[in-house]
Amino acid sequence: MKKLREICLSPWFLIAAQILLSAAVAVGAVFYTYATVIVYRLWKIVLIELTFAVCSGGSFCLTYFEKSPKAKPLQLIFAFVIGVAVFMGLFFALQTVLSLFFNMTVVCVVCLSVTLGVDLACVIAQDVFAVRRDRKFLRFVTVAVALVVYIGGVLLSCLMLPHGWVFKSFSDDTTEFAVASAEAYELTEADRAAGRAWLTERLAGETPAFDFRLGGKRFGEELSSWTAATVEQETDGNGDLSLVRTYTHASGVEARVEAKYYDLTATVEWTVYVTNHGAARSEILSDLYPLDASLPVASSPTLYFSGGSNEANDDFALYSRKLGKKEYVFDTMNGRPSTLYLPFFNLCGKEGGATVGIGWSGEWTAAFSAAKETHVRVGQSVLEGQLDVGETVRTPLVSLCFYEGDNAMKGFNNFRADIKRGLGDRATESSMLMFAGAEGQDDTSRANAAGTKAYIEKLDELGILYSLDYAWYDAGWYDTAGTGDWRGSIGDWKVDAAKYPDGFKAVSSYLQENGVKTLLWYEPERVPMASNLYKEVTEAGHASWLIEPMNGSSDCLWNMGDAAAREFMTQRIIASLKENGVKYYRQDFNIDPKSYWKSADRSLYDLRKGFAENKYVTGEYAFLDALSEAIPGLMIDNCASGGRRIDLEMCRRSVPLWRSDYQCKKEQTDLSEAAQYQTYGLGMWLPYSCITSPNAATEYDFRSLLGGYVMFYGDVLFDASDAYVKFIREYEQIKTYFAENYYPLTSCTPRSNVVAMQFGTAHRGTVLAYVRTPKVKKGSVTTVYPSGLSPDKLYEFRYIEGDLIKIRLGKEIMQNGITVPIDRTEAFVITYHEA
């Protein structure tokens, strides 16, 4: 025992023990965030947490031993147990408290920081005690190692998240899709039959595709105790089918699925509603998933998914992974649905695939695995509690489309087509200029009524007034005298008389006379405590109308889940829209609602988890629908800090006209490349979106912003008028192609030298080719291969300036491609049509 004690007191043992324990904690830290947030695997999480606990106990024991070298074995065991207990208590208490206010990503990073901090503190204490015992044990190098472990562990755990290089190393972001003829993208009768069968067999049949627990019992396993009835089943003249089916429990709880099949896109979509028709509170409802079923997609398919909008130069990046037994779980961040990921997925197997869309403007979850079958589970992240008498909750909207073959782009393009179908006349190609904005404009002298007149006169002088569809007025058009800040003065929506002395209606009327409609910014859901609206509501005693902050914020959340609050806000916004002559309603949402919803679960919903969110999101849709009903033809823009509220339900009502706040960073030199990335990535799913660049000056910059919608700051009319006029005339020629089929012709990453994409039909369209980093050798070219052409039709390809590139049969074009010069930084616009 004496010899063993001497060994343990040697410097080499201490260094080895410190390195071993720190390394174990560091490895656990690197993979903890990944296992918890990206791919939820409970056994891995438990294993890592046990590693943390054991290592913390070991570090505490080693510290005690260095302080008291003569300690007895029982004392050391007791020190180990104390270390484990203290760490676990601190770790899990911190997790519990933080999860009330923050998303799981923040919880993980903070808890890991504490874990690594405990390890670092123990290492420092061990060295201090060792030096006190014998000065020759100066081992501050181990402190440095521990510091590196501490900082590196936290950084690496963060880099496991989307947009981090570790995450990207696990995913393929360089997908290149095979060229295919126009016929390969057409829906088949088998595709349509699969959609109809899903509606009739999996939503109204004996094995429903949705599931939940009532009183701990799974609906799917207790189906015999529920009475099923088809309330409504209709077929219209164009092949669409609709279905309403109910399942009633003896307790009075009813599950109602409302579904519809659209023959144009072979897509079925549905929502499940659960209502308590009983005489007392229901049993606990939980695990409510509108989709929890296996799909007829071959085993080991490729799963395509996209990152969200996170103010990065690769927002909406497309990733792919092979599915296997391991379950991949996707989640949200802070309550906004598209910050981490877009809630859209494409599963592509060797003989067929399926696209899955989620409509939920809150916290959603989606899990995918492919053991014997491809299984998908989708729902609101957390919903658990009893239903009051007469109370209803709903699931996210889910869309599903099956397609034959191994062409993933067939699935993507059909998803785009279904978004276009769902929008109907709520979206159309448009040119916009921001006449007044709170940020981004270097010259704000024209952000007023006089400036509007100057812009219109300049457009007329340049001969392109006809091309402008909307004049865009962003935040700051209202009176900011109360706070002097556009963020703090929202809610009253009283026009700033200094900027618009005759009222804003005079401006919109002037625009209307010149053939231009008005787009106006609002943010109804965030209520600053400094605003007059906050004072008005609190003084009136409407406590339930506002959800107070729990994280030190100076903003409240307007409670869209409260019927009276929603009606008040609805009428206030409708009145303002009508008063100001607004044709395009721009709705922002600069607030993370998760902590507010958790607070409201406690204060308004008796600690029932997820109920505040469920009521809020349902109310938000009712609010937007009421605006559209009150003002026929009203268009809606969905901003939310730049593309952070994109989901299927919002895409049925609105278009994201400002898709990423990365474009707010004027100091960045890659805004044009970021815009290309967004068009490339978001274009996989949506036919319409928009962004601009405050730095746009060259033809390359301008063409990088091409899309169905285009927008620039109004200053461009004075600072780069020639380039803008040329751009607008080009846009007029090709604007309708962007909502048709989409074909990425190259991969697109921040590392890509050349990015090319194609929009259009089998008859006509456009190819955009961006040469980012030119080859030095003069005359260098690259070849891109257009897709979606009819093999036996003759096509003519030209640069938009008019120069002929090639006239060939479609099969020759698809096989041999077209060449593009790459010896200079340039953006090429190429048009094609049947000859």
Side-chain angles (χ1 to χ4, degrees), residues 110-174:
V110 173
C111 288
L112 288 177
S113 297
V114 171
T115 301
L116 292 162
V118 168
D119 179 71
L120 175 62
C122 287
V123 169
I124 294 172
Q126 290 156 15
D127 282 358
V128 169
F129 292 137
V131 170
R132 282 183 179 179
R133 191 177 73 252
D134 189 340
R135 288 192 175 276
K136 70 181 180 182
F137 291 137
L138 288 174
R139 287 178 299 275
F140 292 111
V141 65
T142 57
V143 175
V145 170
L147 277 169
V148 171
V149 167
Y150 173 72
I151 297 170
V154 173
L155 288 178
L156 283 174
S157 68
C158 291
L159 292 173
M160 281 291 191
L161 300 173
H163 301 291
W165 64 264
V166 179
F167 171 82
K168 291 174 183 176
S169 72
F170 282 92
S171 302
D172 184 5
D173 67 343
T174 58

Side-chain angles (χ1 to χ4, degrees), residues 133 168 234 254 321 378 445 485 502 652 763:
R133 191 177 73 252
K168 291 174 183 176
E234 295 181 357
E254 175 194 87
R321 291 188 178 188
V378 167
S445 63
D485 174 51
D502 298 323
R652 292 285 185 258
H763 306 294

Side-chain angles (χ1 to χ4, degrees), residues 725-794:
V725 170
K726 184 176 185 293
F727 171 84
I728 284 297
R729 287 178 175 157
E730 291 175 352
Y731 167 72
E732 288 291 321
Q733 296 179 54
I734 63 176
K735 64 181 182 181
T736 60
Y737 301 148
F738 292 99
E740 302 297 342
N741 275 0
Y742 167 53
Y743 312 102
L745 306 184
T746 65
S747 61
C748 180
T749 74
R751 309 175 298 280
S752 300
N753 291 330
V754 179
V755 173
M757 53 194 103
Q758 174 189 349
F759 298 88
T761 67
H763 306 294
R764 59 183 63 245
T766 186
V767 173
L768 308 180
Y770 301 102
V771 183
R772 296 170 163 183
T773 307
K775 298 292 184 182
V776 176
K777 186 177 178 181
K778 189 174 177 61
S780 296
V781 298
T782 191
T783 303
V784 296
Y785 299 87
S787 194
L789 306 179
S790 297
D792 298 323
K793 296 284 182 68
L794 195 65

Side-chain angles (χ1 to χ4, degrees), residues 692-720:
T692 192
S693 168
N695 301 336
T698 67
E699 182 177 80
Y700 175 83
D701 297 330
F702 278 67
R703 288 179 170 179
S704 296
L705 302 173
L706 277 166
Y709 287 78
V710 293
M711 190 275 278
F712 291 86
Y713 291 101
D715 299 343
V716 74
L717 297 177
F718 300 91
D719 300 338

Side-chain angles (χ1 to χ4, degrees), residues 1-14 65-66:
M1 182 64 71
K2 183 178 180 181
K3 184 66 175 176
L4 178 61
R5 189 180 295 275
E6 288 176 359
I7 293 172
C8 293
L9 286 171
S10 69
W12 297 113
F13 176 83
L14 178 58
F65 181 68
E66 289 297 323

Side-chain angles (χ1 to χ4, degrees), residues 7-279:
I7 293 172
C8 293
L9 286 171
S10 69
W12 297 113
F13 176 83
L14 178 58
I15 291 173
Q18 287 175 334
I19 291 174
L20 181 64
L21 291 170
S22 295
V25 172
V27 171
V30 169
F31 289 98
Y32 187 69
T33 304
Y34 182 77
T36 305
V37 179
I38 306 299
V39 183
Y40 182 82
R41 301 295 287 178
L42 183 60
W43 70 269
K44 288 185 178 180
I45 295 170
V46 171
L47 180 62
I48 294 172
E49 289 174 346
L50 283 174
T51 300
F52 289 161
V54 170
C55 289
S56 296
S59 293
F60 190 79
C61 177
L62 187 59
T63 303
Y64 183 76
F65 181 68
E66 289 297 323
K67 181 178 183 297
S68 306
K70 297 181 179 180
K72 296 179 180 180
L74 281 177
Q75 291 176 309
L76 295 177
I77 293 172
F78 183 71
F80 174 81
V81 172
I82 289 294
V84 170
V86 169
F87 169 79
M88 292 184 70
L90 178 64
F91 187 87
F92 291 112
L94 197 61
Q95 255 194 9
T96 302
V97 173
L98 289 173
S99 64
L100 296 174
F101 307 104
F102 303 102
N103 72 302
M104 204 58 205
T105 305
V106 175
V107 173
C108 284
V109 172
V110 173
C111 288
L112 288 177
S113 297
V114 171
T115 301
L116 292 162
V118 168
D119 179 71
L120 175 62
C122 287
V123 169
I124 294 172
Q126 290 156 15
D127 282 358
V128 169
F129 292 137
V131 170
R132 282 183 179 179
R133 191 177 73 252
D134 189 340
R135 288 192 175 276
K136 70 181 180 182
F137 291 137
L138 288 174
R139 287 178 299 275
F140 292 111
V141 65
T142 57
V143 175
V145 170
L147 277 169
V148 171
V149 167
Y150 173 72
I151 297 170
V154 173
L155 288 178
L156 283 174
S157 68
C158 291
L159 292 173
M160 281 291 191
L161 300 173
H163 301 291
W165 64 264
V166 179
F167 171 82
K168 291 174 183 176
S169 72
F170 282 92
S171 302
D172 184 5
D173 67 343
T174 58
T175 302
E176 293 194 15
F177 297 93
V179 172
S181 67
E183 290 75 13
Y185 293 95
E186 294 176 357
L187 289 173
T188 66
E189 181 51 39
D191 298 333
R192 292 185 165 88
R196 290 191 292 265
W198 186 268
L199 179 81
T200 56
E201 296 173 13
R202 299 308 308 274
L203 298 178
E206 296 180 358
T207 55
F210 58 91
D211 205 359
F212 57 88
R213 292 181 184 273
L214 186 66
K217 297 178 181 178
R218 287 188 59 183
F219 167 74
E221 296 173 353
E222 301 286 327
L223 195 58
S224 59
S225 63
W226 293 72
T227 302
T230 300
V231 178
E232 178 185 333
Q233 188 165 353
E234 295 181 357
T235 305
D236 59 24
N238 57 12
D240 293 351
L241 305 174
S242 60
L243 169 78
V244 177
R245 187 168 174 82
T246 62
Y247 299 83
T248 306
H249 191 260
S251 65
V253 174
E254 175 194 87
R256 184 176 84 259
V257 57
E258 296 184 2
K260 190 156 187 178
Y261 163 79
Y262 298 98
D263 198 63
L264 178 66
T265 57
T267 299
V268 59
E269 65 179 32
W270 69 97
T271 306
V272 179
Y273 299 84
V274 181
T275 304
N276 180 16
H277 294 298

Side-chain angles (χ1 to χ4, degrees), residues 533-549:
L533 177 60
Y534 177 82
K535 297 170 187 173
E536 176 185 346
V537 171
T538 52
E539 288 173 2
H542 300 306
S544 65
W545 290 18
L546 294 170
I547 304 175
E548 299 279 349

